[in-house]
Amino acid sequence: MATRAVDRRARPRMRPVRPARVVVYGFAAAILIGTGVLMLPLSSRTGAWTNPVDALFTATSAICVTGLTTLDTATHWSGFGQAAILVMIQLGGLGIMIFATLLGLILARRFTVRRRITAIAESSTLDRSDVRGAIRRVALTSLVIEAIVFALLLPRFALAYDHDVWLATWHALFHSVSAFNNAGFALYSDNLIGFAADPWICLPLCAAIILGGLGFPVLHELRRQFSWPRRWSMNTRLVLVVSAALLVVGTIYITAGEWSNPATLGAYSPGERVLIGFFHSVQTRTAGFNSVDIGLMAEHTRIGMDVLMFIGGGPGGTAGGIKVTTFAVLAFVLLAELRGERVVNIFRKQLAPEVMRQALTVALIAVAAVVTGTIALMVIADLGLDAALFESVSAFATVGLTTGITPGLGAPAKLVLVLLMFLGRLGPLTLGTAIALRERKELFEYPKERPAVG
C-alpha cells in the first residue's frame, strides 16, 4: 500500500489546458492548413501555384471571417478554391461561436455556488452540463438561418439575373454562408455593387448579418423567451438595444454624409439611397460587403464607419470588434461617473466591478492594436492616415471593408493585416476569458490615495 501511495505521488502532474490557448492553436492550425490548400494549383483558375503570402492572407481572412482580399475571389480562384474558402468561412464562424459558448461554460464552473446560480438565472441560455447539446444548438442555428437566406436568394439570382440553376444555387449558397458568418466574401469582382438597388438581394443578406452578429446566447434566449422580455438577461438587452441604436445611427450618418456624393449614393433615387445607407450601416457591424465604392466615400463618412467597425457586434457570435456589450458597459460607466454615482446600474441591475475592468482592458488593448497597425501601415506602405486607419480597423474588427488599397500592398503590409485579423478575431474573446479565469482574491490591500485626474 505504501509503495502504491509513493508511486501515485511520484507521477508528474499534468498541466491544466488553458482554453484560450486551445482556441488560438486551433485557429492557427486551421489557417496553416487553409494556406496550404489555397496555394495548390488546383485552387487557382490558371492552374498555377498561388503566392504563399496571398494564400495566407486569404486563408486568415476566411477563417477569421473578415473578407479582406488581395486576390479577386471571382477571377483568381477556381471552383475548388472558392469551395475551400466557403468551407473555411463556415468552420471559422462555427468555430468562434462554439468556442465562445464552451468558454462561457468553463467560466460558469469557476463561479462560486451563489454566483453560479445567479449567472444561470441571468443568462437562461444553456444547460451548463450539456456541452454536446450546446454545440449541436450552435450548428443547427447557423445552418437553419443560412438555409432560409439561401432559399430567399436562389430564386432572385435565377429569375432576375439570368443565372442558370447551378450558378444561382452556388451564388445563393456562398453568399448566405458568407453573410451569416459576417465574412463579406463575394463572388463578383465589384463585390455587390451590381446589386446596390436590389432589396431582394441586399435585405436578406442584411438579416443574416444582423442575426450572426447578435451572437448565439442572444438568439438562443430569444427563441426560448421571446414573449417575456422582462426575463431577458442584461447581456441580451444590451446587445439588442445597442445594436438597434447603432444600426439606426449608422444608417442616418452614412446616408446623410453620402446623400449628394455622385460617386456613391448621389447616383440613386432617394429610396435607393436609404437602402444603400442601411446596407452599409449593417456592413460596419463586421460583415464587409459593399454596394458602392468605399474609396469614393467622403473622409468624414469613413471616420464614422471606423467607429462603428471598431465597436462591432454581439459576443458569442460571428461579428468582431470590441463588442457592443463592451461599448455599452464603458458608456454606462461614463454616465455613472458624470452623475457622481458610486455604482453602475443597467436595467435596474448593478454591474459587477470586475466587468468594468475587463471592458476597459479589452477596449484599451484594442485601441493599442489599431494604433500600432495604423502606424505600421503608414510607415511600411506609405499610406495616409485615413486609408491606413480604415484598413487597420477593418482588419482588427474583422469587417473586410476596404478603400481598395489591399491588393496593391506589399508583402510586409499584408502580413501586418494578417496579424491584425488574427488578433482581432481571437483577441477580445481569449483576453476576456483569460482575465476572468485568472481572477483571484487579494489577501491584503495597500493604502488608498487619489492622484489628480484631468
Side-chain angles (χ1 to χ4, degrees), residues 210 242-252 278 281-282 285 308:
I210 292 171
V242 179
S243 295
L246 291 176
L247 285 174
V248 172
V249 171
T251 300
I252 295 174
F278 172 73
S281 178
V282 174
R285 312 311 310 286
L308 294 172

Side-chain angles (χ1 to χ4, degrees), residues 193-211:
I193 291 179
F195 308 98
D198 189 347
W200 299 101
I201 296 293
C202 293
L203 292 183
L205 292 176
C206 286
I209 292 164
I210 292 171
L211 291 175

Side-chain angles (χ1 to χ4, degrees), residues 184-265:
F185 279 86
L187 294 178
Y188 301 93
S189 296
D190 61 355
N191 205 275
L192 297 181
I193 291 179
F195 308 98
D198 189 347
W200 299 101
I201 296 293
C202 293
L203 292 183
L205 292 176
C206 286
I209 292 164
I210 292 171
L211 291 175
L214 291 179
F216 174 72
V218 173
L219 295 178
H220 187 70
E221 185 168 0
L222 290 177
R223 184 181 67 84
R224 295 184 59 186
Q225 300 186 4
F226 184 79
S227 301
W228 294 278
R230 293 184 178 180
R231 298 182 183 179
W232 293 352
S233 65
M234 181 188 294
N235 179 76
T236 296
R237 293 185 181 186
L238 282 177
V239 171
L240 293 177
V241 171
V242 179
S243 295
L246 291 176
L247 285 174
V248 172
V249 171
T251 300
I252 295 174
Y253 183 85
I254 295 172
T255 304
E258 297 298 312
W259 187 267
S260 58
N261 185 347
T264 55
L265 273 64

Side-chain angles (χ1 to χ4, degrees), residues 8-264:
R8 190 178 294 114
R9 288 193 298 267
R11 293 175 184 174
R13 297 180 62 183
M14 296 183 62
R15 297 180 62 183
V17 179
R18 296 182 178 178
R21 290 186 178 180
V22 174
V23 177
V24 172
Y25 294 158
F27 269 74
I31 289 172
L32 292 178
I33 294 173
T35 300
V37 171
L38 292 180
M39 286 177 59
L40 297 175
L42 181 63
S43 296
S44 68
R45 288 188 183 275
T46 61
W49 290 86
T50 298
N51 182 284
V53 174
D54 290 323
L56 172 65
F57 191 101
T58 305
T60 305
S61 184
I63 292 291
C64 296
V65 290
T66 304
L68 285 174
T69 58
T70 57
L71 301 171
D72 189 347
T73 307
T75 60
H76 177 82
W77 304 109
S78 64
F80 175 82
Q82 292 174 355
I85 291 173
L86 182 65
V87 171
M88 284 186 271
I89 291 172
Q90 185 72 83
L91 292 178
L94 279 176
I96 205 66
M97 293 179 73
I98 290 173
F99 278 131
T101 300
L102 296 184
L103 290 175
L105 298 178
I106 293 172
L107 287 178
R109 294 194 179 102
R110 292 292 296 261
F111 290 164
T112 61
V113 175
R114 181 176 179 181
R115 291 180 64 190
R116 188 184 305 177
I117 294 174
T118 303
I120 294 175
E122 282 292 312
S123 62
S124 301
T125 55
L126 295 171
D127 179 3
R128 294 331 194 210
S129 63
D130 190 8
V131 175
R132 291 184 180 179
I135 296 175
R136 185 168 56 250
R137 294 185 195 102
V138 170
L140 183 61
T141 299
S142 301
L143 295 177
V144 167
I145 295 175
E146 291 169 356
I148 293 173
V149 177
F150 166 81
L152 294 174
L153 295 178
L154 176 58
R156 190 62 178 175
F157 280 127
L159 300 177
Y161 297 96
D162 296 327
H163 291 2
D164 59 45
V165 176
W166 160 248
L167 186 62
T169 301
W170 173 236
H171 281 210
L173 175 63
F174 189 97
H175 293 96
S176 61
V177 173
S178 183
F180 177 74
N181 289 287
N182 280 222
F185 279 86
L187 294 178
Y188 301 93
S189 296
D190 61 355
N191 205 275
L192 297 181
I193 291 179
F195 308 98
D198 189 347
W200 299 101
I201 296 293
C202 293
L203 292 183
L205 292 176
C206 286
I209 292 164
I210 292 171
L211 291 175
L214 291 179
F216 174 72
V218 173
L219 295 178
H220 187 70
E221 185 168 0
L222 290 177
R223 184 181 67 84
R224 295 184 59 186
Q225 300 186 4
F226 184 79
S227 301
W228 294 278
R230 293 184 178 180
R231 298 182 183 179
W232 293 352
S233 65
M234 181 188 294
N235 179 76
T236 296
R237 293 185 181 186
L238 282 177
V239 171
L240 293 177
V241 171
V242 179
S243 295
L246 291 176
L247 285 174
V248 172
V249 171
T251 300
I252 295 174
Y253 183 85
I254 295 172
T255 304
E258 297 298 312
W259 187 267
S260 58
N261 185 347
T264 55

